[in-house]
Amino acid sequence: MKSDFINELGILFNQNNSISDDDYNKLNVKRGLRNKNGTGVLVGLTKIGSVQGYTVDKKGKKIPEEGKLYYRGIAIDKLVKKFGKEKTFAFEKTMFLLLFGKVPSNFELKMFISTIKEYRHLPDEFIEDFILRKPSADIMNQLQRAVLCLYTLDSKPDDVDLSNLIDQSLNLIAKFPSLLVYCYQACNYKHFNESLIIHNPVEEYSIAENILHMLRIDNKFTPLEAEILDLILVIHAEHGGGNNSTFTSHVVSSTRTDTYSSISASIGSLKGPMHGGANSMVTQMIEDMKKNTNPYDEVKLKEYLKGIFEKQLFDKKGRIYGMGHAVYTISDPRAVILKKKACELAREKDALEEFELFSNVEKFTKEIGKELKGKDFEICANVDLYSGFVYKLLNIPSNIFTPLFALSRIASWNAHRMEQILVDKKLIRPAYKAIDEDGNVFL
């Protein structure tokens, strides 16, 4: 009875809420905050990060070019090269850079890490009452709740003075790795009948090292594993103000609400499969390939990829996950960097055949795209194609791929939040037009 009524309400809703593409076009509505040529509508300015994947000519046509990503004006490849030579705490240095606009000096880094260590502890009652009790089957949902619960530990949760915002940012950065791993362990215990194992973080470890330490039953990891996880956190750390979860931080922060509400909202945005959940979809797609064909046979792999393009295979949406990006056209600089390290890790793990499969997905998707859509069609591998593969080699469970993405963005979301509160000061409020059943605008 109840389900029948719900179905009837669904039919009623569809009848009274359908809006045609013609209505959107007639009123020049920029759906998804995108211009007609696919470029983003300019809604703000930022000094934190920038993304470039094309130029626009005088006629408004997008001209593809090699992708570029900048953190505070520094190209990501140069930043990775610089931090790679220094070997340790690359992610911590990156977070300092994003928050405060400069690569930290040795003293600044020492104080930054010392503060994070000081704030790392979670009270036992917090772990028991807010994490272990009633854990969600979805880690991202659990993280949202846990972040909101940190509000209760803050003596000045609603204060938006700069010094307090910085203090809250460092507190979240410090606690988030433990929140992530403990939420994962609680979920496994409650929903998948696994043993509950809680490891405390190690004081001298970096964030990447502590994640591997707390995740693994035996606490063991190799230097290369920690180095590559550190790298993934660095290349995911920032992507300009226009990506959905960062823009969410701007929108929510413009109301002057508290930091915990803002970060929780950004986590909720990132949870969506059209945003942060894409790397999990890559894993599912590869597993589907292995189930339904022999993807190590190049001819059969091409046939399968063509079937996806034609909406006949996998989820029948015509999308090859890990390929294509809203901004990048010819290349995603993050994917270029990670692909090299993925090959190195695959060699250590004796998984070069698997690496070759992902590399072939990239190569053949480009070829098939041009065959089906014309020689001017450009599509590149995005970072999700190789991040899921690397996570798998690191024995990181697929249900924390996206939570790790959230961890990488904590500093950036807070940096954009502070920028919104201190610089823009305007409540973000876009316009919607109300139309009748004939598409005519109300008064």
Side-chain angles (χ1 to χ4, degrees):
M1 189 71 175
K2 180 181 176 181
S3 60
D4 290 340
F5 179 61
I6 295 296
N7 289 335
E8 289 176 13
L9 291 177
I11 294 170
L12 187 63
F13 184 89
N14 282 326
Q15 289 173 346
N16 293 314
N17 289 278
S18 62
I19 301 175
S20 71
D21 289 342
D22 289 340
D23 291 332
Y24 279 97
N25 294 331
K26 179 176 67 176
L27 296 169
N28 192 29
V29 176
K30 297 182 177 181
R31 303 172 79 173
L33 286 178
R34 307 263 182 104
N35 297 307
K36 286 186 177 179
N37 63 0
T39 60
V41 174
L42 184 62
V43 296
L45 302 173
T46 182
K47 285 190 171 183
I48 298 165
S50 60
V51 185
Q52 188 174 338
Y54 55 81
T55 54
V56 180
D57 65 17
K58 293 180 180 179
K59 296 181 180 179
K61 182 181 178 182
K62 289 169 63 175
I63 308 299
E65 63 177 32
E66 297 290 346
K68 299 179 180 68
L69 172 61
Y70 298 92
Y71 291 3
R72 294 286 186 172
I74 304 173
I76 186 64
D77 56 335
K78 292 182 179 179
L79 192 70
V80 166
K81 187 175 181 180
K82 172 180 173 57
F83 289 164
K85 290 179 180 177
E86 298 166 1
K87 291 293 183 184
T88 57
F89 297 108
F91 181 49
E92 285 81 350
K93 295 169 190 173
T94 300
M95 290 191 291
F96 188 98
L97 170 66
L98 292 173
L99 283 164
F100 306 113
K102 68 182 288 285
V103 175
S105 65
N106 288 336
F107 175 76
E108 288 168 334
L109 179 64
K110 182 179 179 180
M111 291 302 297
F112 183 68
I113 292 173
S114 175
T115 304
I116 289 174
K117 288 178 180 177
E118 181 183 338
Y119 286 169
R120 188 179 284 161
H121 177 70
L122 286 167
D124 291 342
E125 63 271 19
F126 184 93
I127 297 172
E128 293 166 6
D129 294 339
F130 296 134
I131 296 179
L132 300 183
R133 195 183 301 275
K134 295 285 184 183
S136 171
D138 188 286
I139 312 301
M140 290 293 278
N141 174 266
Q142 179 86 345
L143 278 173
Q144 281 185 278
R145 291 162 51 199
V147 167
L148 285 173
C149 289
L150 288 178
Y151 181 100
T152 65
L153 301 182
D154 193 331
S155 61
K156 298 189 293 183
D158 295 300
D159 185 352
V160 293
D161 181 74
L162 178 58
S163 61
N164 195 57
L165 291 176
I166 292 172
D167 190 68
Q168 289 175 333
S169 299
L170 299 183
N171 184 50
L172 277 164
I173 287 168
K175 288 181 169 56
F176 206 87
S178 296
L179 289 180
L180 189 161
V181 177
Y182 295 169
C183 286
Y184 163 74
Q185 302 288 15
C187 170
N188 279 354
Y189 173 72
K190 178 69 175 180
H191 297 283
F192 301 103
N193 200 32
E194 295 187 14
S195 299
L196 179 62
I197 301 172
I198 301 291
H199 294 306
N200 291 322
V202 175
E203 185 172 345
E204 63 268 22
Y205 280 175
S206 69
I207 287 175
E209 289 171 326
N210 260 320
I211 290 168
L212 293 173
H213 163 80
M214 291 189 290
L215 267 180
R216 295 180 174 178
I217 294 175
D218 62 4
N219 305 126
K220 294 180 180 179
F221 55 88
T222 69
L224 180 59
E225 288 177 321
E227 180 186 339
I228 290 181
L229 180 56
D230 196 47
L231 172 66
I232 290 180
L233 296 176
V234 168
I235 63 177
H236 275 116
E238 161 65 11
H239 214 241
N243 71 82
N244 195 287
S245 56
T246 301
F247 184 57
T248 297
S249 178
H250 277 278
V251 172
V252 177
S253 296
S254 76
T255 71
R256 302 301 186 271
T257 190
D258 66 278
T259 293
Y260 308 100
S261 293
S262 172
I263 297 303
S264 178
S266 290
I267 294 171
S269 167
L270 192 69
K271 178 176 179 282
M274 292 183 69
H275 189 11
N279 50 21
S280 296
M281 293 302 295
V282 173
T283 301
Q284 292 177 38
M285 180 183 73
I286 295 295
E287 291 305 314
D288 188 75
M289 283 183 191
K290 293 176 180 178
K291 182 179 178 181
N292 293 290
T293 189
N294 177 13
Y296 302 101
D297 181 314
E298 292 188 2
V299 173
K300 291 182 178 179
L301 176 59
K302 287 180 181 179
E303 290 174 353
Y304 182 93
L305 293 173
K306 187 175 181 181
I308 293 181
F309 258 116
E310 296 173 339
K311 300 183 179 181
Q312 296 174 354
L313 296 176
F314 190 41
D315 60 3
K316 300 182 180 179
K317 292 182 179 179
R319 182 179 178 185
I320 297 177
Y321 292 93
M323 296 297 299
H325 192 272
V327 178
Y328 298 125
T329 51
I330 295 177
S331 64
D332 177 342
R334 304 167 301 171
V336 173
I337 292 168
L338 189 57
K339 183 177 181 179
K340 293 178 182 177
K341 276 294 180 183
C343 183
E344 188 178 338
L345 184 62
R347 191 173 289 111
E348 181 183 272
K349 299 283 188 179
D350 195 24
L352 285 173
E353 184 182 39
E354 191 78 357
F355 171 78
E356 191 68 23
L357 168 58
F358 283 82
S359 184
N360 282 337
V361 168
E362 177 184 0
K363 180 174 70 174
F364 296 148
T365 297
K366 292 179 179 181
E367 293 176 5
I368 296 166
K370 289 184 181 295
E371 289 174 14
L372 297 177
K373 301 192 177 186
K375 62 180 182 180
D376 294 331
F377 178 77
E378 293 287 354
I379 191 169
C380 66
N382 61 55
V383 70
D384 293 318
L385 182 64
Y386 293 102
S387 64
F389 169 64
V390 169
Y391 284 147
K392 183 178 178 182
L393 291 184
L394 292 174
N395 293 318
I396 290 175
S398 61
N399 60 344
I400 58 169
F401 288 2
T402 310
L404 282 170
F405 197 165
L407 168 65
S408 72
R409 288 283 168 92
I410 286 294
S412 171
W413 288 338
N414 276 289
H416 282 274
R417 168 173 166 77
M418 290 189 286
E419 189 177 61
Q420 179 67 39
I421 290 173
L422 298 171
V423 178
D424 197 329
K425 299 183 185 297
K426 195 89 170 176
L427 176 68
I428 295 175
R429 188 185 183 282
Y432 276 70
K433 290 185 182 293
I435 60 174
D436 62 22
E437 60 185 17
D438 297 318
N440 298 315
V441 179
F442 290 146
L443 292 179

